[in-house]
RNA sequence: CGGGGCGUGGCGCAGUCUGGUAGCGCACCACACUGGGGGUGUGGUGGUCGCUGGUUCAAAUCCAGCCGUCCCGACCA
């Protein structure tokens, strides 16, 4: 992609109403623009990153054997009346009426829809176990949206739902999905932790959260320094009857091993065992070997759009975003410096750009007629992992300059070595 | 919903107290110079000053109501 043709949307100054780093950088780097409180446009660079997140999730889900579907964002309110959650969810559920005065809501989650779908779809226990998932826009009319896409009203989420014959099966589906999540977070390249969690409004029994560690995180997590014990600090204080979560630091771990250490995290994934809660209230019965059963359900969410923000919270410096390679919108920025006075600069860039394209290296060629400083600053705020710099200097030296995003100075490499360095 | 802040060109802001018909920086367009870290000059484009009503000869400025948005809190993936 040539930068001269890309709608970049980078901004030099922080927007006045963005408080946290990821929000500021997402706007300055041209990832998002706000439409309304908690509602955002995703610009080309942002959409590329979001797409990468989605695909990593998709690959992880597919290889676990889950099957992708797509459910509607608009849901009949009657299903929520049946499940009883229309009152429980309250004002977070955005309700409206169609031209026939039928009552609908925008889906904040899809337990009702998937359970209803499976009433027709699943007819025999032989179809179990099965896990279905989607990557889709959710809407929750948050009391107070904040921090850009970190806590927005409209957001992109992967939600998966498993159906099993019995509790043993649910345990297996749950741990299969847990493993898939571990694989996904490894692929995302983020520093994360799994903690015991409260199952909240979704309901059900066992539940764990996946948190991206970041000082700006809204959740406080407690870890034993001697064992694998890890829990959302808020849940632990509830269990221990209302202490201040911060007071947990240094206290003995509830599992008897070591003392508790606290870290802040951003919740980006949550897995639940639902049991038969929804299958019973929505009457999803499946023919078993000798009698009908209510399938044991699990549900598994990952906040795709939130991951983009969380990744930035964890990976940035004073110049801008420093993407992990897995999420970078481009792998390489090719910056031409002062090509006006030296036709060879342009020619060299064309040659390298063609080489990178042939080798499927996603490259942003900054061919704009701008001062070098402007180009460097843009490539840095966007956070592209590698920058190749071509100018008169490099033409004369017969070498190519290549700089890693986190490095201060570029290194000189030969044309022959360039590709292997980039592909390594 | 309670408390606080803010709404003036795409972005950041001044002007509001003390009413006189809108300005600065960045960005953008044109030209020239410049050319390895956000360069310089000249000339431009772009604004119903959040909305509605009121006061006044005159309102960005004063008054009232409303709306939007951000932050803190309760709540929440």
């Amino acid at each position: 992609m040539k930068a001269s043709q890309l709608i970049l949307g980078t901004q030099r100054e922080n927007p006045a109403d963005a408080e946290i780093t990821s929000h500021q950088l997402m706007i300055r780097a041209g990832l998002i623009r706000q439409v309304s409180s908690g509602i955002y446009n995703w610009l080309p660079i942002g959409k590329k990153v979001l797409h990468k997140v989605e695909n990593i999730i998709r690959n992880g889900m597919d290889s676990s054997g889950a099957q992708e579907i797509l459910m509607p964002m608009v849901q009949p309110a009657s299903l929520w009346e049946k499940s009883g959650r229309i009152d429980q969810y309250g004002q977070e559920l955005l309700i409206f009426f169609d031209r026939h005065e039928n009552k609908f809501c925008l889906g904040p989650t899809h337990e009702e829809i998937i359970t209803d779908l499976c009433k027709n779809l699943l007819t025999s226990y032989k179809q179990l176990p099965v896990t279905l998932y989607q990557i889709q826009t959710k809407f929750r009319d948050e009391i107070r949206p904040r921090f850009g896409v970190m806590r927005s009203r409209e957001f992109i989420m992967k939600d998966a739902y498993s159906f099993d014959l019995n509790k043993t099966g649910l345990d297996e589906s749950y741990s299969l999905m847990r493993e898939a999540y571990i694989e996904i977070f490894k692929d995302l390249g983020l520093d994360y932790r799994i903690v015991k969690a409260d199952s909240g409004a979704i309901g059900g029994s066992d539940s764990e959260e996946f948190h991206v560690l970041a000082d700006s995180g809204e959740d406080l997590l407690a870890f034993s320094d001697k064992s694998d014990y890890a829990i959302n600090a808020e849940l632990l204080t509830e269990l221990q009857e209302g202490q201040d979560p911060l007071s947990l630091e240094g206290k003995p771990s509830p599992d008897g091993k070591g003392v508790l250490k606290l870290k802040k995290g951003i919740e980006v994934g949550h897995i639940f065992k639902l049991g038969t809660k929804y299958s019973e209230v929505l009457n999803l019965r499946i023919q078993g070997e000798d009698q009908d059963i209510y399938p044991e359900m699990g549900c598994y969410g990952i906040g795709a759009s939130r991951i983009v923000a969380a990744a930035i919270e964890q990976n940035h410096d004073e110049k801008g975003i420093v993407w992990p390679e897995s999420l970078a919108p481009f792998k390489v920025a090719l910056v031409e410096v002062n090509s006006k006075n030296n036709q060879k600069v342009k020619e060299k860039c064309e040659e390298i750009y063609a080489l990178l394209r042939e080798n499927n290296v996603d490259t942003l060629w900054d061919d704009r007629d701008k001062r070098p400083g402007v180009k460097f600053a843009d490539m840095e705020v966007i956070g592209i992992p590698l920058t190749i710099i071509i100018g008169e200097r490099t033409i004369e030296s017969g070498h190519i300059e290549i700089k890693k995003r986190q490095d201060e100075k570029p290194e000189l490499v030969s044309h022959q070595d360039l590709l292997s360095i980039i592909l390594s």
Side-chain angles (χ1 to χ4, degrees):
Chain A
M1 180 93 216
K2 289 183 181 178
S4 59
Q5 291 161 5
L6 179 64
I7 300 300
L8 257 179
T10 52
Q11 286 176 194
R12 193 161 166 178
E13 287 175 284
N14 276 328
D17 56 7
E19 199 80 2
I20 65 166
T21 308
S22 61
H23 188 195
Q24 293 173 342
L25 287 176
M26 284 184 82
I27 291 168
R28 277 185 45 208
L31 272 63
I32 55 167
R33 289 282 170 91
Q34 183 170 32
V35 175
S36 180
S37 181
I39 300 177
Y40 292 86
N41 287 312
W42 287 78
L43 308 187
I45 297 272
K47 177 59 187 165
K48 282 196 82 166
V49 175
L50 185 58
H51 200 240
K52 294 212 164 181
V53 172
E54 289 173 5
N55 273 342
I56 288 168
I57 295 170
R58 182 172 283 119
N59 289 337
M61 296 306 291
D62 287 348
S63 37
S64 80
Q67 298 169 49
E68 186 167 7
I69 59 172
L70 183 59
M71 293 181 272
M73 189 180 169
V74 173
Q75 308 184 4
S78 57
L79 280 176
W80 286 76
E81 280 155 5
K82 275 184 204 156
S83 74
R85 282 209 293 182
I86 196 150
D87 297 323
Q88 194 188 348
Y89 242 87
Q91 293 211 297
E92 243 180 78
L93 198 61
L94 183 64
I95 290 175
F96 54 95
F97 296 84
D98 71 5
R99 65 171 73 199
H100 305 295
E101 295 294 312
N102 291 316
K103 197 174 179 182
F104 287 88
C105 63
L106 285 184
T109 178
H110 281 69
E111 282 81 10
E112 280 78 3
I113 291 279
I114 189 98
T115 308
D116 187 59
L117 168 67
C118 287
K119 284 174 78 167
N120 314 0
L121 198 60
L122 303 181
T123 50
S124 161
Y125 74 97
K126 292 178 185 171
Q127 292 170 297
L128 304 185
V130 67
T131 298
L132 301 171
Y133 79 97
Q134 65 172 347
I135 296 172
Q136 189 238 22
T137 299
K138 297 275 187 282
F139 192 94
R140 295 181 189 174
D141 200 356
E142 286 283 337
I143 292 173
R144 183 151 87 85
R146 58 187 129 165
F147 306 146
V149 300
M150 192 74 87
R151 170 167 247 83
S152 51
R153 293 195 289 174
E154 189 177 299
F155 58 101
I156 312 280
M157 184 170 171
K158 185 283 302 176
D159 48 326
Y161 305 88
S162 67
F163 299 85
D164 277 280
L165 191 53
N166 52 40
K167 290 212 181 300
T168 317
L170 171 57
D171 290 345
E172 283 168 18
S173 292
Y174 181 92
S175 46
L176 193 64
M177 205 45 57
R178 193 176 189 277
E179 290 307 310
Y181 270 43
I182 289 170
E183 203 55 36
I184 287 166
F185 282 97
K186 198 183 90 189
D187 290 349
L188 288 167
L190 300 175
D191 188 14
Y192 75 99
R193 296 288 186 279
I194 306 173
V195 302
K196 283 194 213 312
D198 187 3
S199 49
I202 307 282
S205 53
D206 289 0
S207 152
E208 290 170 293
E209 291 168 348
F210 287 66
H211 285 261
V212 168
L213 296 182
D215 292 338
S216 57
E218 289 188 87
D219 286 291
L220 203 56
L221 316 175
F223 303 91
S224 163
D225 64 348
K226 291 271 165 27
S227 72
D228 291 339
Y229 186 83
I231 186 167
N232 189 310
E234 201 175 327
L235 173 60
L236 183 56
T237 53
E238 267 171 40
L239 298 174
Q240 299 187 341
E241 284 161 21
Q243 310 171 15
D244 177 7
L246 284 167
S247 71
L248 293 169
E249 177 84 41
K251 292 234 172 102
S253 173
D255 71 345
K257 296 171 190 161
V259 295
L260 293 174
K261 299 280 178 203
L262 298 178
K263 282 184 199 291
K264 283 183 173 176
I266 300 164
E267 183 188 350
V268 288
H270 202 159
I271 56 180
F272 301 87
K273 288 180 188 174
L274 294 172
T276 55
K277 177 178 171 178
Y278 295 96
S279 49
E280 283 185 35
V281 293
L282 294 167
N283 199 30
L284 165 62
R285 275 184 303 177
I286 295 178
Q287 213 173 326
E289 225 168 336
D290 37 45
Q291 59 176 18
D292 287 0
I293 56 111
Y294 291 112
E296 294 281 339
M297 291 172 58
C299 81
Y300 316 91
I302 296 182
S305 43
R306 181 181 279 184
I307 280 177
V308 177
I312 295 170
E313 286 297 327
Q314 198 175 78
N315 301 282
H316 66 268
D317 62 18
E318 66 288 345
K319 290 175 178 169
I321 303 168
V322 184
W323 288 114
E325 191 153 318
S326 55
L327 300 183
F330 294 94
K331 181 163 186 180
V332 171
L334 174 60
V335 175
E336 66 175 68
V337 176
N338 193 15
S339 58
K340 267 198 171 168
N341 295 339
N342 193 331
Q343 185 58 29
K344 284 183 183 159
V345 171
K346 187 65 109 182
E347 285 164 8
K348 191 72 182 171
C349 285
E350 268 166 20
E351 185 188 331
I352 291 172
Y353 186 59
L355 176 74
L356 295 176
R357 279 177 61 129
E358 279 163 26
N359 288 276
N360 295 316
V361 178
D362 198 6
T363 303
L364 180 61
W365 175 7
D366 198 344
D367 60 338
R368 296 174 300 170
D369 182 20
K370 298 262 184 201
R371 309 280 301 191
V374 174
K375 297 189 185 191
F376 292 139
D378 269 352
M379 297 306 114
E380 281 162 347
V381 75
I382 293 168
I384 301 175
L386 288 173
T387 300
I388 295 172
I389 305 154
I390 302 295
E392 283 189 292
R393 259 199 229 164
T394 43
I395 297 291
E396 282 161 20
S397 74
H399 285 78
I400 290 164
E401 273 177 72
I402 184 161
K403 188 178 97 60
K404 293 193 178 112
R405 172 62 179 80
Q406 59 272 33
D407 288 351
E408 200 53 43
K409 296 232 184 283
E411 55 178 314
L412 282 174
V413 303
S414 70
H415 193 113
Q416 291 79 7
D417 293 343
L418 180 67
L419 198 59
S420 61
I421 289 168
I422 287 169
L423 295 175
S424 68

